[in-house]
Amino acid sequence: MSVFTARRDFAACCIFSVLLASVQAQHHLLEPLLEKARGRFPETAGSGLCAAQGGREPNVFLTRTQQQDSGFTPLEFAVVESVLFNHPLARVFVFLLGSIDESVFDRYLVEGYCIIVVQLHAAWIQTAIQSVEHELTNDQFALMSADPRAVPFLMNCALASLQFVYGGISLSFDGLLLNPFDMLLPAALPLHRTAVFIERVLAPEEQAPKEALQREDFELSWMPRSHTDRADGHTLICGDNLCPRAMPAGCPLARQLLRAWLEAFLMTGSSPRCDLEATRLYSAYVRNRPQSQTRLEDGQFAVVALPGWVIVEPHFPDGWRHYGHRGQIEESEDRGQFHSQLYTPRVHRERSDWSLVRSLKLWLPLDYGPQSARNAMPRSVVDLAQRFLALRITPFSPGPLRFGTIEPTLTSHTWHTPVDAYEALDNSMAESLGVGARPKLSREVALPGTTGGFRTFRDIRVVGRGACAVPGFVVRVRAAISLSHPGARLFCRPAIRPDGPLDGAPDSEVAWNACRAALTETGFDLTGLPSLVNSALSHLGFWPVRGPGHPPAQSSADGRLSAAELDMHFADLHLELTTDACPDAGEAIGVPKASNIVRSTLHALVDDVQDQVTVVAHSASRCELLERLALSFHSMYDRMLVMVTCECPEPGPEGERCSPPEARDHPTIAFMKIVDVPYDFGLSRGKRLLAQWAQTEFVLVLDDDFVRSPLSCMECMLLHMRSRMHSLTLPFDLLGFPILEDERNFGAFRGQLRATNGPLYLEPMASEAAVDGCMRVGIHPMAFLARTARLRQFKFQDQLPVGEHEQFFYANRYLGLHAAVCFDSTFPHFRVQMSAGYKQRRERMQELATDAFKKIGFQGMMYLLHKCDAYSGIDHNEFIQQNIPPWSISDDTCGPQPEPPTDFVMFFVAIFSKMDDRGALFRRMLRGEAPLAWLPRLAAAAPTRWAFFVEEQSITPPALVEEEAQHGDVVLMPQQGETKGGFTASQLKFAVTFLRDFHFRWLLVAEQDVFVHLEPVLSVLVAQEPPMRSAVGGWRTKAGMASLQSPWLPPQFFALSHDTKHLLASPRVARWLRTDLENGDAAAALNAWLALLDVQRLELQGVHLGWGGAAVGCPGKSSSVPQSMVLPPLAVLHPVAPGELLLMSEAAAVHGSGCEGLNA
């Protein structure tokens, strides 16, 4: 019976077995392509380039569904490099519609990276699917392929076929891979034997199908999590080709999915919802797998579903908006924040956002919002991901908009280290003003142990490319690494993921063997292609040094460490990179030549967290959770002491043994002590007691329902406590972390405390944000790493059953409490359903909280989990409804302003340009191909930056994408349709608000086809010193109401002083700017905006608009005809053709008159 006429359910078998015979017979689709790639560069034959299947190096299938024949865009190169950055030895197959020159990836093949281009067509897709499903007939495939809307579906089926035959990871070109794909897998599940999917949570308004995952599907899975961190009955497994997924070779689930999808199409005649079948099969798997199984046996596969939050959300869940905007009402005009917060850096959150995304996320989508909302600003998440997940082999320089500055591409190999991100996030003005060098930044970035090895060496890479073009010459690099501390030895981790076992089979045999072979008595020394070196680096780590640190002091003396004492906890990690020099012309290959050497030194923490941290927690009525907490930590740190307090039942015969508190060893869990305390002992007393009994320098204070996970990094937290950046003068006493589950549900509980004559306010402000992502706060959740000696000194209100959290942070200001939050680590808050006893205790909280706050002198507590704006009508109304005086809410108007995206300049020029060929010609001329044009001459005369504002289209031409990547000065603005002039009022408002945070003296606005004689313009601008409250242009009079004459500024060319621009762009004014006057006319809007302002209207003489071309003659004065004094010298002329712009610019520069060019 045909598979397509009878439904089969193979998921009853809970553990899948390998179908080796079936798989081995079908290895014919990709092998010819691998062989072809190896043949292109035979000189790399011995390096394992594009090696045959079977080495456990992952296959990565990248699909591009948009058909285009113009090559690869810079962003697509960035996607490829993000994959190879995390998986250097991956075989990357690029599937695309349309033709492409395969040589675009030759520079990668020379470096040892395997990239294969597969040009998709119907016959290839049919072959791929039928290689697995032999019963699919040609007529059935023809029926499916006849529907153009079925192309994505058929590509998805082809991917499932390839994953069944070869195994691999499927990704799209709509995102960047932020970490190794198996980063979150448990220790028992290697990627080559685990199918990995991502959950898709339905929107609240979506009707949930019957296949949606239920409670038992989450709780019976390999990776259970809290009921507050999932959507029972409203979650599907994402099965379409745009969702990242991985399936190992021979895993029957891939075949089952393929059969189910094809059968559903043939039964309905249209593309089915791939999510439903994927969800059904996954649910059947988890409900039937043995729950006692903790590891896979030989020949078995596992299936896991990662939570949807591993994909970066368009908006950060903490709700932070610097300008107080929130929701569609007040934010829709701020495109950089409304559609997503990934392309524009969040004010004072740039460093923490990057730290969180890089450390705790897996996939960064690049398709949030329209093109005009995707202008990657410097220090935005998208910018930093492109820059710091790049191998820098692409011909395009990775990075954001540069507004006229060009970052050179690398033509040699160099080191990429975690310090690179620090330098990018330090926005120093010293370099831009030419008054000194960039200050030296902390190099304390390397971490010990297994988790520390993952966090450190995932960011140490050999980047760049060899510049040698001699045929037959293979550029190899030598990486040598050593540690200055004799006790800190390098070792190789079999798995690159943080929770990988140290005694298991390696993730990559090639990389693992190369890493072990490179280990020496003094460190690490490996020579090979950059791909091999980087893959071996991914497996590196170094052992910590045993030692107790500094036991907690018993007195209240200053416990700060000196610089010398801090240095004792670090060693120098020396990196040396040697690249063979290219032989001269005619010189034999292999003749020794001087090599290029690049050295870098990082500072490595050598402390063993197990010797210096005790995990402490208090529990009441649910002490059974404490064992789960201890076991989660001991899965990584087998010697770490876990000490907990457990409240006894209500007073009675059994409770008498709990007074006084006594400590006892856990009967079955080593390194776990339990302190039995009386009923209603309280959190504060429990934590104070544990701090008194702890003997380590630090304690990790958690609630009983926390656990450790692969996203937890205790080494990171200890580094921040030891770093001289924070600890030399004002050390952190408490170091918090983002509790992701709570932030998604309730918002971020961190910020500053402020007292009034009424409530105590928690406001989401932060200060002293550092380049490592840490920020000082006044309060954070009561889960933190603390210095034991300092925690003992702080006062707890033992009599408060609740409310002690707020009181603790507020009252201990008197004792100099310094708290901070760092974002590179988290511990899951694994909440459980409340038991009857615990629920009864929780029901008392509201009554207890009211009394508690009165005891500490406040009417109550108000949590402002987003920044409120005193000028926001929404916030104002909300305060009044809650009986809160609006004037008592701080909106931080006197706080620090956003850092500018670029350096400070004298002039910033905004040019409105078109997307056509004529616009491209004007842009080339203004960038410098016509060196005597007004913009290049202005840039040569004074520090100048510029941006070309181009209207977005539904599909951005690849030529424009490449142009933006090359020059970094094209900003896409919203599409407005036909316009009377060069731009509309809405587009002018977009440009002004886009430049809100830029710093300069003058803003010049021009259309692309404007001729500007620079000298008359500069004479007017320079005369205004300092430039303030000024608008310069061809002011003229225009009839107003009641026959009045009002000044009128043409928008084709004008200049605004910085303060005028800043006022118009400020969020409290920009939201009120009208753009609907005279059907959206830019001139009407501009003059309406300025009409209400008391600004100097400085007239620029010689501005001529509506010019008819050379045939009507030049309207300005000619130097050869001195008697023509009727008109002032020509300063601005619009419109001009490209040829006219060139001739007039040359004449203005040489003869002092643009008209001379036309007369000639």
Side-chain angles (χ1 to χ4, degrees):
M1 183 179 294
S2 170
V3 68
F4 304 111
T5 58
R7 296 190 64 86
R8 302 178 183 179
D9 189 351
F10 295 91
C13 178
C14 57
I15 299 295
F16 299 130
S17 300
V18 183
L19 306 178
L20 289 177
S22 173
V23 174
Q24 291 175 350
Q26 301 168 53
H27 276 203
H28 64 277
L29 289 169
L30 302 181
E31 279 297 342
L33 301 174
L34 294 169
E35 182 64 31
K36 180 180 178 181
R38 291 192 292 268
R40 289 178 64 84
F41 294 95
E43 59 270 21
T44 62
S47 64
L49 173 67
C50 293
Q53 307 291 319
R56 290 184 179 168
E57 291 76 22
N59 298 309
V60 179
F61 305 122
L62 281 170
T63 57
R64 185 178 77 181
T65 56
Q66 181 179 337
Q67 183 165 356
Q68 56 189 53
D69 298 327
S70 57
F72 249 56
T73 66
L75 193 57
E76 290 170 333
F77 274 112
V79 175
V80 172
E81 292 206 355
S82 74
V83 172
L84 294 174
F85 190 94
N86 289 291
H87 296 282
L89 288 185
R91 292 174 287 263
V92 179
F93 295 90
V94 176
F95 296 97
L96 50 87
L97 300 173
S99 60
I100 188 176
D101 182 4
E102 296 185 21
S103 65
V104 297
F105 294 117
D106 282 357
R107 63 186 65 205
Y108 291 90
L109 296 173
V110 170
E111 301 285 328
Y113 300 100
C114 181
I115 304 178
I116 309 296
V117 175
V118 182
Q119 297 181 14
L120 291 178
H121 47 78
W124 197 95
I125 294 176
Q126 180 177 354
T127 301
I129 297 175
Q130 289 181 333
S131 68
V132 177
E133 288 301 340
H134 310 289
E135 299 179 47
L136 179 68
T137 67
N138 294 337
D139 290 341
Q140 288 172 326
F141 183 83
L143 175 66
M144 292 187 292
S145 59
D147 184 359
R149 296 170 296 180
V151 172
F153 168 76
L154 292 176
M155 290 183 65
N156 199 20
C157 292
L159 285 173
S161 302
L162 294 175
Q163 288 176 311
F164 174 70
V165 177
Y166 297 96
I169 305 165
S170 62
L171 305 171
S172 74
F173 275 101
D174 294 327
L176 297 173
L177 186 63
L178 296 168
N179 279 289
F181 196 80
D182 57 350
M183 176 184 72
L184 293 173
L185 290 187
L189 303 184
L191 183 61
H192 68 278
R193 293 170 61 187
T194 305
V196 182
F197 294 88
I198 294 181
E199 299 169 1
R200 183 171 76 87
V201 179
L202 301 175
E205 64 274 9
E206 286 188 76
Q207 180 68 35
K210 60 182 177 59
E211 291 86 354
L213 298 179
Q214 304 300 321
R215 176 184 58 82
E216 55 267 34
D217 298 317
F218 293 101
E219 295 180 351
L220 299 176
S221 69
W222 283 94
M223 301 171 60
R225 60 187 194 273
S226 172
H227 67 95
T228 63
D229 189 30
R230 62 187 197 233
D232 297 0
H234 220 68
T235 302
L236 299 177
I237 299 296
C238 189
D240 64 48
N241 64 303
L242 296 180
C243 282
R245 71 171 183 250
M247 286 190 280
C251 178
L253 181 66
R255 192 170 196 174
Q256 295 166 27
L257 278 175
L258 178 62
R259 288 181 175 182
W261 291 341
L262 293 173
E263 185 181 67
F265 189 106
L266 294 174
M267 292 178 63
T268 62
S270 61
S271 299
R273 289 184 62 182
C274 297
D275 295 355
L276 300 182
E277 293 297 338
T279 306
R280 181 180 63 83
L281 290 171
Y282 174 77
S283 178
Y285 166 79
V286 297
R287 296 187 185 193
N288 288 279
R289 79 174 188 90
Q291 292 300 300
S292 60
Q293 186 179 30
T294 58
R295 59 184 303 170
L296 297 177
E297 302 297 334
D298 292 340
Q300 292 181 338
F301 295 100
V303 184
V304 300
L306 301 181
W309 51 255
V310 302
I311 298 177
V312 182
E313 304 94 334
H315 295 85
F316 288 88
D318 62 10
W320 168 259
R321 303 287 195 279
H322 177 70
Y323 297 107
H325 295 174
R326 58 191 171 123
Q328 298 185 4
I329 298 178
E330 294 192 347
E331 199 181 64
S332 58
E333 295 178 348
D334 190 352
R335 301 175 78 83
Q337 295 285 323
F338 175 65
H339 294 284
S340 84
Q341 296 175 320
L342 305 178
Y343 286 87
T344 302
R346 296 199 302 167
V347 177
H348 309 314
R349 297 294 193 277
E350 308 96 327
R351 302 163 178 87
S352 59
D353 287 348
W354 172 244
S355 178
L356 185 149
V357 166
R358 178 69 172 110
S359 303
L360 310 180
K361 299 293 184 177
L362 181 64
W363 181 251
L364 173 63
L366 299 173
D367 56 353
Y368 291 130
Q371 290 290 339
S372 57
R374 302 185 207 167
N375 298 296
M377 298 292 285
R379 298 188 302 282
S380 65
V381 170
V382 171
D383 159 40
L384 296 173
Q386 289 186 67
R387 276 199 274 174
F388 301 128
L389 298 174
L391 296 171
R392 304 190 68 178
I393 301 174
T394 170
F396 305 103
S397 177
L401 292 162
R402 294 179 294 278
F403 305 104
T405 60
I406 301 299
E407 182 179 350
T409 56
L410 285 179
T411 57
S412 62
H413 295 106
T414 189
W415 284 113
H416 167 88
T417 71
V419 177
D420 295 350
Y422 284 12
E423 294 177 348
L425 290 167
D426 177 51
N427 193 21
S428 172
M429 292 291 288
E431 291 179 335
S432 61
L433 296 178
V435 296
R438 179 188 293 271
K440 291 185 178 181
L441 298 174
S442 171
R443 305 186 73 85
E444 299 161 334
V445 294
L447 301 167
T450 302
T451 299
F454 168 75
R455 291 298 185 99
T456 301
F457 289 97
R458 67 172 180 174
D459 275 330
I460 297 181
R461 290 289 184 266
V462 177
V463 300
R465 56 188 174 90
C468 187
V470 176
F473 180 76
V474 179
V475 177
R476 285 180 166 81
V477 298
R478 173 177 174 263
I481 302 177
S482 62
L483 274 161
S484 62
H485 197 293
R489 296 180 296 105
L490 291 166
F491 71 99
C492 294
R493 298 173 292 116
I496 62 174
R497 64 189 189 275
D499 274 14
L502 293 177
D503 57 353
D507 288 347
S508 168
E509 295 176 355
V510 175
W512 165 248
N513 292 332
C515 180
R516 291 194 300 171
L519 291 178
T520 66
E521 292 184 359
T522 58
F524 175 92
D525 196 323
L526 177 61
T527 300
L529 291 175
S531 61
L532 179 65
V533 173
N534 283 335
S535 63
L537 289 174
S538 299
H539 288 265
L540 266 185
F542 61 91
W543 296 115
V545 177
R546 294 292 303 274
H550 307 272
Q554 301 299 321
S555 65
S556 60
D558 185 355
R560 288 180 296 182
L561 302 182
S562 66
E565 289 173 316
L566 289 172
D567 288 342
M568 293 173 57
H569 297 275
F570 290 89
D572 290 336
L573 183 67
H574 299 291
L575 310 177
E576 183 177 286
L577 179 65
T578 306
T579 305
D580 294 337
C582 185
D584 297 330
E587 187 177 19
I589 297 176
V591 176
K593 285 179 63 69
S595 301
N596 301 316
I597 300 177
V598 180
R599 295 184 176 91
S600 181
T601 299
L602 309 177
H603 299 318
L605 180 74
V606 297
D607 290 351
D608 190 337
V609 295
Q610 301 194 78
D611 295 331
Q612 304 197 22
V613 180
T614 299
V615 181
V616 300
H618 173 82
S619 184
S621 300
R622 51 182 192 179
C623 295
E624 67 279 0
L625 298 180
L626 297 172
E627 294 184 357
R628 185 185 67 178
L629 179 147
L631 291 173
S632 71
F633 277 87
H634 288 165
S635 65
M636 176 60 65
Y637 309 103
D638 56 354
R639 295 183 294 104
M640 179 164 286
L641 178 62
V642 179
M643 186 163 54
V644 297
T645 50
C646 175
E647 291 190 12
C648 290
E650 296 189 38
E654 186 178 352
E656 294 178 357
R657 65 179 175 86
C658 302
S659 183
E662 294 183 358
R664 55 186 172 88
D665 293 331
H666 191 280
T668 60
I669 302 177
F671 297 97
M672 181 178 182
K673 289 186 177 296
I674 301 176
V675 181
D676 295 311
V677 295
Y679 178 77
D680 256 355
F681 194 73
L683 276 172
S684 293
R685 294 176 65 191
K687 292 172 182 176
R688 182 167 58 84
L689 176 65
L690 292 169
Q692 293 295 331
W693 286 16
Q695 298 302 310
T696 53
E697 184 178 356
F698 300 95
V699 289
L700 179 63
V701 180
L702 299 173
D703 285 345
D704 54 8
D705 52 357
F706 277 79
V707 293
R708 186 206 155 270
S709 81
L711 300 179
S712 307
C713 181
M714 296 190 66
E715 293 83 357
C716 300
M717 302 179 75
L718 185 58
L719 173 71
H720 298 310
M721 286 293 208
R722 294 284 191 216
S723 173
R724 294 179 60 164
M725 186 190 315
H726 307 297
S727 297
L728 198 54
T729 53
L730 293 176
F732 299 152
D733 298 317
L734 310 180
L735 181 61
F737 53 86
I739 304 176
L740 301 181
E741 299 82 3
D742 294 353
E743 290 190 17
R744 285 188 289 270
N745 290 317
F746 315 115
F749 190 84
R750 57 177 174 267
Q752 303 295 339
L753 288 172
R754 183 167 59 88
T756 66
N757 56 358
L760 180 67
Y761 291 105
L762 187 156
E763 298 172 319
M765 309 302 176
S767 62
E768 300 181 43
V771 292
D772 61 356
C774 299
M775 59 175 64
R776 294 182 183 265
V777 295
I779 187 173
H780 55 64
M782 280 302 256
F784 50 80
L785 182 68
R787 299 182 191 273
T788 307
R790 287 287 285 165
L791 188 60
R792 290 176 178 176
Q793 297 172 19
F794 296 139
K795 305 300 182 182
F796 291 87
Q797 288 284 356
D798 294 345
Q799 76 276 13
L800 293 180
V802 294
E804 73 281 3
H805 180 184
E806 295 80 3
Q807 185 276 339
F808 173 82
F809 280 94
Y810 186 76
N812 282 302
R813 288 180 180 180
Y814 183 76
L815 298 176
L817 186 153
H818 292 279
V821 176
C822 297
F823 293 80
D824 51 5
S825 178
T826 186
F827 296 88
H829 197 179
F830 202 142
R831 297 174 183 265
V832 296
Q833 299 288 350
M834 290 185 291
S835 63
Y838 190 75
K839 183 177 181 180
Q840 182 179 2
R841 297 171 69 101
R842 294 287 294 182
E843 289 173 348
R844 301 163 52 205
M845 290 300 178
Q846 183 63 39
E847 177 184 352
L848 293 174
T850 302
D851 293 337
F853 283 114
K854 289 181 179 179
K855 288 181 180 179
I856 59 177
F858 298 106
Q859 296 179 5
M861 178 76 187
M862 183 172 184
Y863 306 102
L864 304 173
L865 296 179
H866 72 279
K867 182 176 177 180
C868 298
D869 185 351
Y871 291 83
S872 166
I874 294 178
D875 288 341
H876 195 271
N877 183 62
E878 181 179 334
F879 295 146
I880 293 175
Q881 289 183 347
Q882 297 187 21
N883 197 28
I884 298 171
W887 51 88
S888 68
I889 304 298
S890 169
D891 62 356
D892 200 26
T893 53
C894 297
Q897 289 299 305
E899 295 186 5
T902 62
D903 51 358
F904 178 85
V905 291
M906 182 64 69
F907 301 105
F908 194 99
V909 184
I911 303 170
F912 289 91
S913 185
K914 299 294 185 181
M915 195 175 285
D916 54 17
D917 293 339
R918 190 168 184 265
L921 178 57
F922 272 117
R923 292 192 294 275
R924 292 200 303 270
M925 294 174 65
L926 292 174
R927 287 192 186 105
E929 285 190 12
L932 297 181
W934 66 275
L935 183 56
R937 292 184 64 209
L938 179 63
T944 303
R945 295 289 178 265
W946 62 83
F948 294 96
F949 288 84
V950 180
E951 188 176 65
E952 67 179 341
Q953 302 295 333
S954 57
I955 298 178
T956 304
L960 184 66
V961 176
E962 184 173 333
E963 178 185 338
E964 192 282 325
Q966 181 178 357
H967 299 284
D969 58 4
V970 177
V971 177
L972 296 178
M973 58 183 180
Q975 189 175 15
Q976 297 292 328
E978 296 295 328
T979 61
K980 293 191 300 182
F983 52 93
T984 66
S986 295
Q987 291 170 341
L988 177 61
K989 179 180 177 180
F990 172 85
V992 171
T993 55
F994 183 88
L995 300 173
R996 170 186 295 148
D997 300 328
F998 289 68
H999 283 253
F1000 42 77
R1001 303 299 294 274
W1002 287 99
L1003 170 65
L1004 277 62
V1005 179
E1007 294 188 23
Q1008 64 178 13
D1009 51 352
V1010 168
F1011 162 75
V1012 179
H1013 190 181
L1014 198 58
E1015 282 72 14
V1017 175
L1018 287 180
S1019 64
V1020 176
L1021 299 180
V1022 173
Q1024 308 304 313
E1025 186 59 36
M1028 54 186 296
R1029 296 171 57 186
S1030 300
V1032 180
W1035 288 95
R1036 56 199 61 192
T1037 57
K1038 182 178 180 180
M1041 297 180 61
S1043 300
L1044 297 177
Q1045 300 292 317
S1046 59
W1048 185 264
L1049 179 62
Q1052 287 80 4
F1053 180 87
F1054 63 92
L1056 299 176
S1057 57
H1058 178 265
D1059 57 351
T1060 306
K1061 183 277 307 182
H1062 186 72
L1063 177 64
L1064 294 176
S1066 64
R1068 291 165 181 167
V1069 174
R1071 70 178 64 165
W1072 303 103
L1073 297 180
R1074 293 188 62 179
T1075 59
D1076 59 345
L1077 299 173
E1078 298 185 20
N1079 296 320
D1081 179 57
L1086 173 64
N1087 285 276
W1089 303 343
L1090 296 177
L1092 299 177
L1093 305 181
D1094 183 15
V1095 297
Q1096 300 183 75
R1097 292 165 172 80
L1098 304 174
E1099 183 177 359
L1100 177 64
Q1101 299 287 329
V1103 176
H1104 299 274
L1105 309 175
W1107 186 52
V1112 301
C1114 185
K1117 168 187 172 182
S1118 173
S1119 61
S1120 61
V1121 188
Q1123 66 273 17
S1124 58
M1125 302 294 294
V1126 178
L1127 294 175
L1130 178 64
V1132 175
L1133 185 63
H1134 177 270
V1136 298
E1140 295 167 341
L1141 176 63
L1142 179 63
L1143 293 175
M1144 298 181 70
S1145 298
E1146 292 176 348
V1150 176
H1151 302 290
S1153 172
C1155 292
E1156 289 294 327
L1158 297 180
N1159 294 338

